[in-house]
Every structure is written in C-alpha cells, then in structure tokens.
Amino acid sequence: MARHLITSALPYINGIKHLGNLVGSQLPADLYARYQRGRGNEVLFLCATDEHGTPAELAAAKTGEAVADYCARMHGVQAELAEGFRLSFDHYGRSSSARNHQLTQHFAGKLAEAGLIEEVSERQVYSNADGRFLPDRYIEGTCPNCGYDRARGDQCENCTKQLDPTDLIDPRSAISGSTDLEVRETKHLFLKQSAMRGQLNDWIDAQTDWPILTTSIAKKWLNDGDGLQDRGITRDLDWGVPVKRGDADWPGMEGKVFYVWFDAPIEYIAAAGEWADAKGLGEADWQRWWRTDEGADDVRYTQFMGKDNVPFHTLGFPTTIMGSGEPWKLVDYIKSFNYLNYDGGQFSTSQGRGVFMDQALEVLPADYWRWWLLSHAPESGDSEFTWENFQQSVNKDLADVLGNFASRVTKFCRSKFGETLPEGGAYGPREEALVADLTARLARYEQLMDAIEVRKAAAELRGIWAAGNEYLQSAAPWSTFKEDPETAAMQVRLGLNLVRLYAVLSQPFIPDAAAKMADAMGGAGAWPEDVAAALSALAPGAPFTVPENLFRKITDEERADWQSRFAGRRG
RNA sequence: GGGCCCGUAGCUCAACGGUCAGAGCAGACCGCUCAUAACGGUUUGGUUGCAGGUUCGAAUCCUGCCGGGCCUACCA
C-alpha cells in the first residue's frame, strides 16, 4: 500500500478566500487525497491557516480584537468553510501553533549551525505614530517618476516603476496617514539561499515531470540577474514566532519574530505533529510521515499551490529542509496552478469582485462548485469563470448526464420490477462491449488522476457517466421489457450496478452526490479492480432506493441574479 | 526594461514533428419516450494570431511582429 503525504498551500488568515484561491490549492489537493484514499492507499492530507504577518495585525486592529483572538476566530471561519466544501483534511492546523513555534526555532538553530544564517543590519522606515516598522508597501507617497500621489513604497501602481520607500516624495504611513516617519537601523536574519544554489539547481533540473509552470518559476529565480538572493527571515513585529536558536535566546534579536515565508512552510511539518496530538498519537506516528530515518522513506509527498507560492516551495522551504542537515522528507512533486479570473477580470478581495467561499455555499451546495472548478482548473494557463459557462456545465454534466442517469434507471426499475434488483437474463455482445469500453476508460481515468491531470480526468469521468446513457439508449430496456422481461431485468441490473460504480469513481470530485448514490445502492464498496466484477457486485434480490434528484438545474433567472450580485462590492 | 506562459471551431479546451487538426458545450437534422422537456445518433463549423525560415513533412521547432496574462524577490 502506497503512502501519500499531501499538503495544500496555507490560506492566509486574513479574510475569506475566493474561488480562485480555492481552485489553486485546497480543492485539487482534496481531489488527489480522496482519490488516493479511494485507491486504498494510506494518506495524510494536511493544511493550516497561515496566521503571521502585518496584514493579520492590521486586520485585528481594525476589528478591535487582539491578534491572537482574531486569528482564532478566522481560523474557525475558514475551517468551517473548508468543511462546507468537503475538504477532507486529516488535520487543519495553525501556523501559530506551539508545534510550529518549536519547529521553526529548531530549524533556525540548525540552519545557523550549518552557517546558512547571516545577521544583516539594514535601514527600514519606522512610523512613530504607528509605533512600528512599516513594510515597503505600507508606505505611500508621491511617485518621483510620474507624480502619482498614491504610489506605494515598493512600486508605483500607476507607472509600474519599482521604488524604494526613501524615493517617495512626502511619504506617509498607509496605516495611519502619519508623516512622522524616520529611517532606523535594525538587524535581521537572512537565509543564505545563495549558498544552496547549486544544490537547488541540480534538484530542480532532476524534476523532469513537474509542471512547466513550477520549474520555470524556480529556474527564473535561480538564474535571474545575480542568481538566487538571500532573503530576510525575520521582522520587527509582535505577532509571530519569537526569534530563537533552537531553545536558546538569540542575542540581538530580542523582540523580533520570524517572517511568514520562513515559518509557514514549516507548518506543513508542524501540522503533522498537531494531527498526532489531536488524535492522541505519539511522536513516531507523525514522524513516519516526515522523517526519512523514521519510516518516511516510502512516502510520496505532493504539494499543491497557486503560481504565486512556487518560489517559496521550490527554493525557500527546500533550503530549510536540505540546509538543516537532518533527514526531513523533501517534496516529490509540486503541482502548481495558474489563476482563475472572474468574468473578464480578476477576482478582487478588496473590491469584493467575484465569488467568495462563504457566498458560493449560500448559493449552491459544494458539489456544483467542486465540479465546475475542477473540470476547469487553470492548469495550462489562466482560466475564466463566467456564469453562463457555470450554468451550462453544471446543468449538462451534473443534472443531465449523471443525475438523470441515476434517476431514469432507478425509476424504471421501480416501476417495472420493484425496489430490488431483478433476476434473470444474461450478458450479450452489447454488455461485453460496455465492459470493455469502461475498462479502457477506467484505466485512462486512473492514469490521469495519478498524473494529477485534473481537467482531463474530469473529462474522462464525464465520459464514463455518458457511457451509461449510451448503453441504456441502445439496450432500451423499456422496449425489451415488452417481449423479453428477463433480458430487460439483466439490462436494468447492469444499469443499477453502474450507479453504484459511479458512486465510487465520482467520489473524489463530487463527494455528496457520490454518497447519495452509494446510499441508494446500499453502499459503494471498494475501488474496482475489475469492471466486470464491479458491475455484478449488486446481485439479484439486493434492495435499492430511488434517490432524490442528485442535482437541480440553474435557471436563467438565477444566473442573471447572481451575475449582478457578485459583480463587485460584496454585501 | 527583463523573464515566463498563452493565442487552435461561436464558447471551454485536446493534440506538442508524421494517417482527412480532435472532444465537450452551443447550432442544425433524425431517433427514443425509461428519465430532472432528460437521453442517443448524425451533422454544420478551423488558410491552428500574422509574416518568414528549418524539414520529405510544422498547430507542433527557429526568427520577427501583433494581442492577452503573469512574475520581477518587503503582499502573503
């Protein structure tokens, strides 16, 4: 039995994520986790909220909560939405956990021992009124290049020129508007990624089957300009993991915390510890997933993320893992996604443009969203959500092709034979052909799911559903029944077994509908090893029920209504 | 400025050097009547962004141009 460690990029704690965020990491990760479990493999599927950093502090200040309280509350909100979308995490952790504090400090200590951490003094803008150092983007002023008066300290949004905060004319704090700013000297730790450049480069070069998106971004960072740059891993903030060298204090680093991009990936490991704690398991139980000296040798580790996260996962985190000199499990496959756009533009959190996770579930159940998002996952390029496309796909694929199939076959059987599988009849050439077709399709489906080709796998699954309709149409049990009820019984029995098979195969994409189909057929059973056997799993006499319609259709009125409701400014 | 990705039927996408460039949806026609007016079959539709080049052969490789998107290291 294979063992799969699967992680999704950590959603930032600040606010509710939109569908673009969902389809870029958590949803495909869940698809893969469900599939691997379905195949009978051992899976540990982890995710967590990423809770540190300036935006979290500011969001908490805005609501008047303490940062810790704000994060705890938002973690609850996000966990509930994850549940709503049926994301099957084995554990949904928090980067602010005690586990992560300890591990982050541990890694910093090991990296320091290995000579991979450097102390650097730098000059940063301090706001007296806010009582804090300001990240570049939180300083606003007039652009020296184009005169735009709301340029940010990192870049002018108007003329796109890259800036240094000290370039700005009349700089002010974007938080308070205060102009009482000064440049202060402050000391920070830098991770010497540059020292690992050769090793990282060899490692990336060896990954010939990774998505181009993943390797091209990694190579760009490795080779651009002067090559991979060292990066600061600490910040002058209150909220975060205090800078320590293992258990020991770090002289000169008092009052500073590690920066999110350093501590967030380490939470992938810490989340396994949190999982063990929550399950009442011991250290060995999570270490067998993460320590190659404790049994993780045979683990296959797959990460899912949007393209914006690729540099941290191909360079930063591997530097932490490799540089520690300890036998931690390194990622085997990085699946990255492009962005999902919304109706001709981008999803926008600030403008409330597009559909957010909470709103999506208010409008329709999870399966509708899961199916559309996964069958249109932005794998080869950015893709686009439109309500017309959503309505068409959902109505056709889910309601007509799959839902109606389950409906027609169960209702026909009930009316002609009652609510048990009828007896009699034997397979003919048509049934043999169906078995052969489904055998080939199943093999393709498995191959695509193994390769995490999400859209193609969805198309193949749809083909498997459609094969049921094709069979029924050509077998026509409603006609057969008139002269040859035994043959009709065989055809209907096969049809009902198809519903059961669909429950098993569809579960990774649409878990709720799959559960309904399984319930109606008295249970789903295991992943099919052999199609012919799977199609006779339900024997004559087995009871079944006619399920409620699996999917309803989206009307034109609803589509129009939602289209205007989500055009901007959420409310 | 630099880099990367993309541009294929009305729409969403496949094909990544080799039989007439495919599929789903939409459209048209036919069939079926078990079913959520659902299903099945047939079919219309493309000088593969443009212009050159390499090759026996190019959507696929190269060059240039046009158009769209992303990244560029202190947003995570």
Side-chain angles (χ1 to χ4, degrees):
Chain A
M1 182 165 74
R3 299 174 62 213
H4 286 270
L5 174 62
I6 300 167
T7 60
S8 156
L10 309 188
Y12 195 64
I13 192 69
N14 189 4
I16 291 165
K17 304 297 119 181
H18 54 63
L19 297 181
N21 299 130
L22 182 65
V23 74
S25 53
Q26 299 186 19
L27 195 51
D30 181 68
L31 177 78
Y32 191 58
R34 286 177 175 276
Y35 168 69
Q36 291 299 349
R37 289 193 199 104
R39 294 298 304 271
N41 294 322
E42 192 181 358
V43 168
L44 186 64
F45 177 28
L46 301 172
C47 191
T49 40
D50 174 12
E51 305 192 355
H52 297 136
T54 309
E57 292 192 342
L58 297 180
K62 206 169 176 180
T63 64
E65 290 163 283
V67 198
D69 295 340
Y70 172 83
C71 289
R73 182 170 63 80
M74 288 308 296
H75 174 82
V77 168
Q78 297 211 20
E80 195 176 326
L81 288 169
E83 178 73 36
F85 274 94
R86 304 293 182 258
L87 302 175
S88 60
F89 305 130
D90 290 295
H91 189 74
Y92 193 51
R94 304 181 57 186
S95 71
S96 60
S97 68
R99 283 276 187 184
N100 196 39
H101 277 237
Q102 189 272 325
L103 260 178
T104 299
Q105 292 165 345
H106 169 82
F107 273 107
K110 288 293 167 191
L111 291 165
E113 278 175 32
L116 289 169
I117 286 186
E118 188 175 32
E119 296 185 10
V120 174
S121 274
E122 46 181 28
R123 290 150 55 82
Q124 290 198 343
V125 175
Y126 185 87
S127 166
N128 288 304
D130 297 300
R132 65 190 307 151
F133 282 95
L134 298 176
D136 292 356
R137 68 183 310 237
Y138 285 107
I139 303 158
E140 283 182 351
T142 302
C143 175
N145 189 49
C146 71
Y148 181 61
D149 66 354
R150 292 183 58 195
R152 296 193 328 200
D154 54 348
Q155 185 178 39
C156 173
E157 284 179 331
N158 189 49
C159 68
T160 74
K161 184 176 173 59
Q162 289 186 39
L163 302 171
D164 190 89
T166 54
D167 296 339
L168 293 172
I169 299 162
D170 300 329
R172 61 184 182 273
S173 162
I175 299 165
S176 61
S178 168
T179 55
D180 184 11
L181 308 177
E182 63 185 53
V183 175
R184 285 192 188 178
E185 190 92 349
T186 179
K187 194 158 67 170
H188 282 296
L189 300 183
F190 273 64
L191 181 61
K192 293 172 73 175
Q193 299 184 126
S194 57
M196 300 287 288
R197 185 180 170 196
Q199 201 174 333
L200 290 167
N201 203 43
D202 292 347
W203 177 63
I204 295 292
D205 276 343
Q207 312 306 332
T208 52
D209 62 339
W210 286 12
I212 295 172
L213 186 63
T214 305
T215 50
S216 67
I217 291 173
K219 285 182 179 171
K220 163 75 170 98
W221 282 56
L222 279 165
N223 301 318
D224 193 40
D226 300 329
L228 187 59
Q229 301 296 298
D230 297 338
R231 294 194 63 167
I233 58 167
T234 55
R235 288 293 183 275
D236 291 290
L237 295 175
D238 298 322
W239 174 238
V241 178
V243 175
K244 283 193 165 192
R245 215 177 154 127
D247 297 331
D249 288 338
W250 202 311
M253 288 290 131
E254 295 80 8
K256 296 178 195 287
V257 298
F258 287 106
Y259 187 46
V260 273
W261 80 260
F262 184 69
D263 80 61
I266 294 172
E267 170 62 15
Y268 290 141
I269 306 176
E274 293 177 55
W275 163 77
D277 294 341
K279 298 274 180 199
L281 302 170
E283 293 299 289
D285 293 302
W286 72 263
Q287 290 187 354
R288 65 189 280 274
W289 288 100
W290 273 107
R291 296 280 300 211
T292 55
D293 59 339
E294 298 287 342
D297 263 335
D298 63 341
V299 168
R300 179 165 173 86
Y301 177 25
T302 308
Q303 294 178 339
F304 291 80
M305 69 200 64
K307 59 185 167 187
D308 50 341
N309 260 313
V310 168
F312 305 112
H313 291 77
T314 51
L315 308 168
F317 190 43
T319 297
T320 299
I321 296 284
M322 293 174 181
S324 72
E326 296 182 324
W328 297 101
K329 176 75 192 164
L330 195 60
V331 68
D332 292 302
Y333 190 83
I334 296 180
K335 176 74 179 181
S336 56
F337 290 87
N338 286 283
Y339 291 145
L340 178 68
N341 289 319
Y342 179 80
D343 206 10
Q346 296 195 341
F347 275 86
S348 168
T349 303
S350 58
Q351 293 171 43
R353 187 164 189 283
V355 186
F356 290 72
M357 285 174 73
D358 55 341
Q359 300 169 323
L361 291 178
E362 285 164 17
V363 164
L364 284 170
D367 280 355
Y368 295 73
W369 298 107
R370 290 178 61 105
W371 175 254
W372 190 88
L373 290 168
L374 290 167
S375 61
H376 294 79
E379 289 176 301
S380 58
D382 291 350
S383 67
E384 175 159 318
F385 175 92
T386 64
W387 286 102
E388 289 82 358
N389 190 307
F390 179 67
Q391 180 193 24
Q392 269 181 2
S393 296
V394 162
N395 287 356
K396 192 72 191 173
D397 299 347
L398 296 181
D400 294 345
V401 175
L402 176 62
N404 181 57
F405 176 78
S407 179
R408 69 194 292 205
V409 79
T410 52
K411 285 177 180 169
F412 179 75
C413 185
R414 180 174 62 184
S415 73
K416 303 297 182 194
F417 299 101
E419 290 182 88
T420 56
L421 271 77
E423 186 161 7
Y427 277 12
R430 183 180 287 117
E431 286 71 31
E432 300 300 341
L434 175 66
V435 168
D437 180 40
L438 287 178
T439 299
R441 284 184 177 279
L442 175 61
R444 265 199 304 276
Y445 180 55
E446 291 173 347
Q447 195 183 328
L448 292 167
M449 289 294 270
D450 285 334
I452 323 180
E453 292 270 9
V454 177
R455 274 190 315 216
K456 290 179 185 172
E460 192 56 58
L461 178 59
R462 197 200 119 100
I464 289 171
W465 297 338
N469 283 315
E470 290 164 24
Y471 170 75
L472 271 196
Q473 190 63 34
S474 110
W478 48 90
S479 300
T480 319
F481 184 77
K482 293 168 189 161
E483 309 91 43
D484 184 359
E486 294 238 318
T487 294
M490 176 279 290
Q491 293 165 338
V492 164
R493 216 162 54 236
L494 178 52
L496 291 167
N497 270 286
L498 278 172
V499 174
R500 181 187 157 282
L501 177 67
Y502 292 170
V504 181
L505 301 184
S506 307
Q507 184 271 136
F509 281 90
I510 45 171
D512 288 344
K516 284 184 199 167
M517 287 189 278
D519 285 348
M521 295 300 127
W527 194 269
E529 292 300 321
D530 174 75
V531 171
L535 291 180
S536 54
L538 292 177
F544 73 94
T545 57
V546 175
E548 291 297 307
N549 280 350
L550 297 178
F551 299 98
R552 70 179 190 81
K553 295 210 192 193
I554 298 167
T555 65
D556 292 346
E557 292 70 37
E558 286 175 314
R559 190 201 68 210
D561 175 36
W562 297 336
Q563 197 153 16
S564 62
R565 179 171 156 197
F566 297 110
R569 270 283 53 96
R570 58 183 309 194

